[in-house]
Amino acid sequence: MELSLTQFVTIDGVYQAPGGPKEDTSGGFTHGGWTAPYFDEAGGEFMNQVFARADAFLLGRRTYEIFAGYWPQHDDPADPIASNLNALPKYVGTHTLERADWAGTELLRGDLVEQVTDLKSREGREIQIHGSGNLAKTLLAAGLVDTLHLLTFPVLLGTGKRLFPTDSTPTAYHVTDSRTTPRDVHITTYRAAGTPEYGTIGE
């Protein structure tokens, strides 16, 4: 399977608490819910298309707890997000979660990079990460993310957890899709293309 990451970010790369004010207030973050004014049908259709390609999900503990508290109570066979999240295997990278009651969930402990490498070697289309910023950063640094879907919202916050820290692993990407929704969310799909190439402009 290939590993894809779908992440909501601000213009300055913040991913913290996109869904609501109480989602993640760590570090004194007070800007939660910054995506809410910008969701529209076009953005929803893109997310449906992404979820329809999934054969499994890989989630961090916080994202898993948010999803597990909502989606089992909102199952809808006609909804590709709800139906796939409830029916497909879910793997959770965690050192702290003791149990997982959501059907189809397996906790990953120990060497996360090794375990995700094993998951990727299995037959299937995509294993998908949604949100899960800390997990995403670990796997980006390890070069395990094949496709990156960035939904960039027209907001600059200045504070909050950022997807790309200053010590990020240098990586080149090809843009395979780009669109802007009616509410100005820019959606870009990047395909990992190895290490960057360098040169001098004009030579």
Side-chain angles (χ1 to χ4, degrees), residues 30-196:
T30 59
H31 302 294
W34 44 269
T35 64
Y38 303 101
F39 268 107
D40 57 22
E41 185 175 340
E45 179 58 29
F46 175 80
M47 293 304 297
N48 286 342
Q49 293 169 1
V50 170
F51 273 88
R53 295 192 295 268
D55 280 337
F57 297 99
L58 175 62
L59 305 170
R61 178 190 59 83
R62 183 182 292 275
T63 300
Y64 171 79
E65 290 177 335
I66 293 170
F67 282 12
Y70 179 84
W71 289 110
Q73 288 76 46
H74 295 80
D75 200 4
D76 179 358
D79 181 348
I81 297 178
S83 59
N84 280 355
L85 279 172
N86 284 306
L88 294 175
K90 293 165 284 288
Y91 301 94
V92 183
T94 180
H95 295 291
T96 59
L97 197 62
E98 296 295 328
R99 54 181 291 179
D101 297 326
W102 194 3
T105 299
E106 178 181 337
L107 301 181
L108 301 181
R109 305 189 188 279
D111 189 323
L112 182 63
V113 170
E114 182 178 300
Q115 292 184 77
V116 173
T117 300
D118 176 69
L119 289 174
K120 289 186 62 177
S121 71
R122 302 179 186 181
E123 292 294 325
R125 294 173 300 172
E126 290 186 17
I127 180 168
Q128 297 185 350
I129 308 171
H130 292 270
S132 309
N134 288 334
L135 171 68
K137 286 188 284 188
T138 296
L139 299 180
L140 283 166
L144 291 177
V145 177
D146 300 296
T147 299
L148 174 60
H149 304 293
L150 284 186
L151 286 80
T152 304
F153 288 72
V155 179
L156 190 151
L157 297 179
T159 63
K161 299 175 182 176
R162 285 171 167 77
L163 182 61
F164 301 110
T166 55
D167 60 349
S168 295
T169 301
T171 308
Y173 292 90
H174 294 306
V175 175
T176 60
D177 186 57
S178 181
R179 66 188 78 176
T180 302
T181 71
R183 293 192 180 178
D184 296 325
V185 177
H186 191 63
I187 303 173
T188 309
T189 298
Y190 299 91
R191 178 82 179 171
T195 58

